[in-house]
Amino acid sequence: MKNICFCFQMHVPYRLKRYRFFEIGHDHYYYDDMATEEHVNWLVQTSYLPLCNTIKDMINLSKGKFHCAISVSGTMIEMFEQFNPEMIDILKELATTKAVEFLATPYAYSLASEYNEAEFKNQLKLQNSLLESILGVKAQTVWNTELLYTDEAAYELNKMGYKTILTEGAKHIISWKSPNHVYQSAGAPKMKVLLRNTSLSDELSFHFSDPGWANFPIDAEKYADQLKALPEEDELINIWVGAETFGVRQNAGTGIFDFLKALPYFALEREMGFVTPAEASKKLAANDVLSSPYPLTWSGEAKDLSIYAGNDLQQEAIQKLYAVAERVHLCQDKALKTNWLRLQDVNYLHNMNHIDQGETQYESAYDAFINYMNILSDFLQSVEEQYPTTIENEELNELLKTIRNQEEEIQQLQEKLKKAKK
């Protein structure tokens, strides 16, 4: 039996305001709240809310047989709470159906897994805590930023207790193999890896309303036939897209919401089922081993980090930002910690790309870089005030060691208390 796994990803960054050089040291607020609210409101009304209502209808109409997953970052949930509380309500409704899995995603949708392991772990803990407190769910599966995967990241995540990670089914990684199987990570034998089916996912994201596309017009029955026609041994078909595919990339007038709503009927009629990533991982055995020693993502033609870290501007921004990670970890200043999380957003690095800047308000990559570095300069001054660079690294490491030892001791005592209560 073929299993279809739908995942929808939700995240946008806080909009940065125009921040001039002469404001460094004087203005410590970096965001254009009006632009952020306007953009999020538009996105929710045009895409996210109609999509969530459609998913709810799909679950009800299929009598609970339609299952899917949603990746929503911590900062995105913050924006929902601030600007669109109705999104929190609908996400809670979806969580109570038990048919939607919410994925573990870095809180700030950052590249921390590549540049600071401690920060990466901390962001996953923050986001999981948020999901548990607001939606009452515990994340089991990892959707790293932009589906970022390396064998080393899989190893670290497995040590944290995760058993499944999602990434891109890129040709240069899988070669002749099919993305429609469960794989075992070369970095962590107990970690299962699910691969996005690039062509079937992109068909919805980029070609649904394209009259020049070979399968145009795409309807639910034809798409279900396309999935059914895949080789019999292809047991898991992963269709993962940005949630903005529905309503933004493909506007409601194209029929994209009607297509999605009708799909479970035609799929179930052809004896295909729907699973969440966690269900697929439990249900299906690993077919082969997947290895990617270098970063693999779903972005750009190269499917790597080149869009975010491929030029000198991006590298300088990354180096300056993560150089103060340990000092920020020591700090207790709430505003500084909030800025630290927000400034890690991968989209700010994307804006510094010379070839593909994505959705941006900047005239050029240099314009985006200058604005970001002005903000970062002020932020770094704030960090310096909290923990001056005159503190030697050895002294700083001793402080960190003491804090970590205390955290471990507290954790051990909490575990002993749980056992005693049992």
Side-chain angles (χ1 to χ4, degrees):
M1 180 180 180
K2 283 186 170 59
N3 300 278
I4 305 168
C5 177
F6 267 99
C7 291
F8 307 96
Q9 183 257 343
M10 298 179 183
H11 174 76
V12 290
Y14 282 88
R15 293 294 179 97
L16 298 177
K17 68 182 181 184
R18 279 288 173 179
Y19 194 92
R20 311 294 179 185
F21 178 79
F22 61 80
E23 293 175 283
I24 298 171
H26 303 287
D27 182 1
H28 306 309
Y29 195 77
Y30 313 132
Y31 315 102
D32 186 335
D33 291 336
M34 190 177 293
T36 299
E37 182 176 4
E38 184 180 335
H39 180 62
V40 173
N41 284 341
W42 171 78
L43 191 60
V44 164
Q45 297 305 321
T46 307
S47 174
Y48 290 178
L49 197 55
L51 173 61
C52 288
N53 282 319
T54 300
I55 292 171
K56 188 170 70 170
D57 289 342
M58 293 162 77
I59 294 168
N60 292 334
L61 290 170
S62 66
K63 296 180 179 178
K65 292 180 180 177
F66 176 76
H67 288 196
C68 69
I70 294 175
S71 164
V72 54
S73 69
T75 49
M76 189 79 257
I77 292 174
E78 278 183 16
M79 291 186 217
F80 290 157
E81 287 185 304
Q82 186 176 358
F83 306 125
N84 305 93
E86 68 268 36
M87 273 303 299
I88 299 295
D89 293 337
I90 189 70
L91 291 177
K92 283 180 179 177
E93 285 185 53
L94 293 178
T96 58
T97 66
K98 306 298 182 186
V100 178
E101 178 185 1
F102 288 86
L103 306 176
T105 302
Y107 190 98
Y109 210 64
S110 69
L111 298 181
S113 66
E114 191 65 18
Y115 295 102
N116 192 284
E117 182 187 315
E119 176 63 19
F120 177 53
K121 291 178 179 179
N122 183 57
Q123 285 194 29
L124 286 178
K125 287 177 183 176
L126 282 175
Q127 202 249 4
N128 287 342
S129 178
L130 191 64
L131 289 178
E132 202 159 357
S133 65
I134 292 179
L135 305 181
V137 298
K138 189 172 182 179
Q140 304 174 58
T141 305
V142 179
W143 174 302
N144 196 4
T145 304
E146 301 296 273
L147 290 180
L148 175 57
Y149 172 89
T150 62
D151 295 336
E152 185 178 353
Y155 173 75
E156 294 300 333
L157 287 165
N158 193 232
K159 284 203 302 183
M160 292 177 69
Y162 293 104
K163 296 180 180 177
T164 312
I165 184 170
L166 312 184
T167 192
E168 179 74 2
K171 285 291 183 185
H172 69 280
I173 295 295
I174 62 173
S175 186
W176 51 269
K177 298 173 188 174
S178 169
N180 304 326
H181 296 294
V182 175
Y183 287 84
Q184 172 189 318
S185 171
K190 292 183 180 179
M191 175 72 84
K192 287 185 176 178
V193 185
L194 308 189
L195 302 177
R196 176 177 178 261
N197 187 306
T198 307
S199 59
L200 287 171
S201 301
D202 287 355
E203 186 164 13
L204 299 187
S205 293
F206 304 110
H207 304 296
F208 185 81
S209 59
D210 179 7
W213 184 244
N215 291 334
F216 183 84
I218 301 169
D219 60 43
E221 186 173 10
K222 187 191 293 186
Y223 196 74
D225 284 337
Q226 191 177 343
L227 302 184
K228 184 66 176 177
L230 290 168
E232 193 64 34
E233 62 271 17
D234 284 9
E235 55 196 355
L236 179 65
I237 308 161
N238 296 312
I239 302 168
W240 308 339
V241 296
E244 69 280 356
T245 289
F246 301 88
V248 176
R249 242 187 228 120
Q250 308 297 333
N251 66 59
T254 65
I256 189 77
F257 289 108
D258 294 330
F259 159 85
L260 188 62
K261 191 172 179 179
L263 190 59
Y265 170 81
F266 291 106
L268 293 168
E269 187 181 54
R270 286 154 181 75
E271 298 183 335
M272 295 186 289
F274 293 90
V275 292
T276 67
E279 289 168 345
S281 182
K282 289 175 184 175
K283 183 178 181 180
L284 304 171
N287 181 271
D288 205 340
V289 176
L290 180 108
S291 178
S292 180
Y294 302 106
L296 169 66
T297 73
W298 71 346
S299 301
E301 292 184 11
K303 305 296 183 187
D304 58 13
L305 285 178
S306 56
I307 283 181
Y308 313 106
N311 65 39
D312 292 341
L313 306 180
Q314 294 162 321
Q315 284 294 329
E316 183 175 350
I318 290 168
Q319 188 275 322
K320 296 278 190 195
L321 178 65
Y322 284 106
V324 297
E326 290 189 340
R327 296 170 191 275
V328 175
H329 292 163
L330 284 171
C331 172
Q332 299 301 317
D333 187 308
K334 188 175 179 181
L336 190 142
K337 280 189 172 290
T338 297
N339 287 330
W340 164 249
L341 283 170
R342 291 183 183 179
L343 292 177
Q344 291 181 64
D345 196 301
V346 73
N347 288 279
Y348 303 143
L349 297 171
H350 194 177
N351 292 338
M352 300 174 202
N353 187 282
H354 293 297
I355 300 169
D356 174 19
Q357 283 185 271
E359 183 187 334
T360 178
Q361 70 268 38
Y362 301 105
E363 294 178 5
S364 68
Y366 291 105
D367 187 29
F369 173 74
I370 290 167
N371 198 67
Y372 181 82
M373 293 306 286
N374 285 341
I375 289 171
L376 189 58
S377 295
D378 182 81
F379 173 74
L380 295 178
Q381 279 189 17
S382 299
V383 176
E384 177 73 13
E385 289 170 9
Q386 294 276 349
Y387 286 96
T389 49
T390 52
I391 298 176
E392 296 294 332
N393 283 337
E394 285 186 14
E395 186 180 348
L396 187 64
N397 288 333
E398 283 301 315
L399 285 169
L400 287 169
K401 187 178 179 181
T402 301
I403 290 168
R404 285 170 188 154
N405 288 340
Q406 287 174 345
E407 287 176 350
E408 287 175 8
E409 189 177 345
I410 290 168
Q411 190 174 356
Q412 287 170 3
L413 289 170
Q414 286 174 339
E415 288 172 1
K416 284 182 181 178
L417 185 59
K418 283 182 183 178
K419 288 178 182 178
K421 285 181 178 179
K422 286 183 180 178

